[in-house]
Amino acid sequence: MYVLVDFTVIQAIFLLSWWLKFKSGWIPFDTPISIKNYLLWSCVYGIIAVGISYYTNFYTSKRKKQFSYEVFKIIQIHVASLLILLGILFVFKEVHVSRSYLLLFLINNILATSFYRYVVKSSLRHLRQRGYNKQFILILGAGTLGRQFYENLQQHPDLGFEVAGFLDDHQLEHGLEHKHYSPIVGTIDDLEGLMDSMLIDEVVIALPLEAHAKFGKIINTCEKAGVKTLIIPDYFDFLPSRPYFDNFAGMPLINVRDIPLDEMRNRFFKRLFDIAFSLAAIIMTSPLLILIALGIKFTSPGPVIFKQERVGLNRRHFMMYKFRSMRVQSEDSSDTKWTTENDPRKTKFGSFLRKTSLDELPQFFNVLFGHMSVVGPRPERPYFVDQFKEEIPKYMVKHHIRPGITGWAQSNGLRGDTSIEDRIKYDIFYIENWTFLFDIRIIWKTIVNGFINKNAY
């Protein structure tokens, strides 16, 4: 059905793009060749897109995937399809096909396919929440690991998974505090018989490390019955949210800290976006920058820009720029003291700048120079980094990527005088789950939530 709908959408978009380019009068054009020739290449494009979708496993179940994954794949598939089509047009010397039409065709295909996929995904989630389109899971292990997985699964009814029961060798039923769980329906040895008598789509192994010897038999039993098997490692607390399997010396290894921005192409596109965005921001806010500079000069003596040492990418130190919001003070005082609500060091104009986050605008120059990114964990002073790395687990993980003007923590309200532990959890989630669309979401959320910060002193 996806193949049929994808191909149909592509042909419908062909007609829409043709009308926009050659019939609407909104876009200037030279005399086009026959629509039949364009229709031929539209069909070729549709076949290419469907073929690439098959090759990249885009038609497999995406029940467990986020919609951002689908959008990214759609962009990849249609860009690749257009490049292949351009190559075919070159080989067949089809020089009269409008390149601007092809660009319009590409953009409309991405938008239309993303829209209908979103409608489908939203509809399926709604149906699953109402009890339809279910898949049934059997959890092996009713201990801490199995119970935690069960509780997490209950928080996502939109995924459409229902736990048919637990199997456990050490208890016959749950304790009083877990009576509401799906029942324990047998022991591990009952697995084969239960899969014959119950409808089971997936078996989740949530057994402790000491039960490792049973895994081989369990997996063979599941594969014999044609049931998918998933393993929750007993050490999952030490793993990132999206573990990455590597291969080293012919052995599969789990990469404990796989970071999407370690890939060159991801770093390149993020840096390209940072340069374009910071340049645009500096140009658009230049009148405001001048007004703020004059306001600082007229309200207190001293420099307009305040420079402070911060810890950035790979624990390298850099000077971060801000509009000065306090009276000139010693370097030791500014580097080792938190700002308080009624801090006597602040100027009246500086208090306004801090509350509205306008003091952060010069950091777009940090972004332009490569010290920072538009989106990323907020950088901290070396004095406090030395403290936090001893007190807060995984604090130093934030330095695996460039720090940012805004971040996932800040867009969720964790700014100013808020929990450092909570901020680090959000920062690590961002680092492990980075996508370009995630950055756009954070920027949009920051704009929508506004720049007024009640926690900023």
Side-chain angles (χ1 to χ4, degrees), residues 137-361:
I137 289 178
L138 192 63
I139 301 176
L140 307 193
T144 305
L145 205 58
R147 290 198 301 267
Q148 185 169 343
F149 175 72
Y150 179 87
E151 289 170 1
N152 289 355
L153 198 59
Q154 301 314 300
Q155 296 173 18
H156 299 280
D158 54 296
L159 295 178
F161 287 103
E162 184 175 316
V163 177
F166 290 80
L167 297 183
D168 196 279
D169 287 340
H170 302 289
Q171 50 185 320
L172 299 176
E173 58 182 27
H174 299 293
L176 291 175
E177 67 275 24
H178 306 300
K179 278 289 185 182
H180 59 285
Y181 284 14
S182 296
I184 298 175
V185 293
T187 65
I188 305 300
D189 291 334
D190 298 325
L191 175 62
E192 186 170 4
L194 283 169
M195 286 194 295
D196 289 335
S197 61
M198 299 172 66
L199 179 60
I200 302 296
D201 296 291
E202 295 183 3
V203 167
V204 175
I205 302 175
L207 297 172
L209 284 175
E210 51 264 29
H212 180 265
K214 300 179 181 180
F215 283 25
K217 182 181 178 182
I218 291 169
I219 293 170
N220 288 335
T221 301
C222 291
E223 289 185 343
K224 179 182 176 183
V227 176
K228 293 180 181 178
T229 313
L230 298 94
I231 301 173
I232 304 176
D234 196 21
Y235 44 86
F236 79 98
D237 282 342
F238 300 102
L239 301 179
S241 56
R242 294 183 180 180
Y244 172 72
F245 280 84
D246 209 340
N247 188 287
F248 184 67
M251 297 290 288
L253 301 176
I254 300 175
N255 191 329
V256 173
R257 189 65 58 193
D258 179 55
I259 299 172
L261 285 170
D262 280 346
E263 291 188 25
M264 181 63 189
R265 61 175 182 177
N266 291 339
R267 291 203 308 274
F268 173 77
F269 284 118
K270 185 170 174 65
R271 182 67 189 135
L272 198 65
F273 174 78
D274 283 342
I275 293 170
F277 192 95
S278 57
L279 276 173
I282 291 168
I283 293 169
M284 290 173 63
T285 62
S286 54
L288 182 60
L289 295 175
I290 295 170
L291 289 174
I292 293 173
L294 291 173
I296 294 170
K297 272 295 182 187
F298 290 147
T299 55
S300 65
V304 169
I305 297 297
F306 171 69
K307 296 188 292 184
Q308 190 175 60
E309 189 177 21
R310 298 288 175 114
V311 182
L313 175 66
N314 294 327
R315 306 180 305 284
R316 303 300 193 270
H317 293 199
F318 70 98
M319 299 306 292
M320 190 179 79
Y321 309 134
K322 298 177 77 172
F323 279 123
R324 183 173 59 82
S325 58
M326 294 186 174
R327 295 176 181 84
V328 177
Q329 55 191 297
S330 68
E331 190 173 307
D332 180 67
S333 175
S334 64
D335 288 348
T336 60
K337 292 182 180 179
W338 290 110
T339 308
T340 57
E341 185 171 4
N342 299 307
D343 201 312
R345 298 173 296 168
K346 290 187 296 182
T347 65
K348 288 185 178 180
F349 189 60
S351 295
F352 166 74
L353 293 178
R354 295 176 79 94
K355 278 289 182 184
T356 56
S357 298
L358 291 174
D359 62 323
E360 311 279 0
L361 287 177

Side-chain angles (χ1 to χ4, degrees), residues 2 53-54 56-63 65 69 117:
Y2 268 133
S53 298
Y54 262 121
T56 57
N57 296 320
F58 192 51
Y59 293 133
T60 56
S61 172
K62 287 169 284 295
R63 182 186 290 252
K65 300 286 187 183
Y69 164 82
R117 289 294 182 113

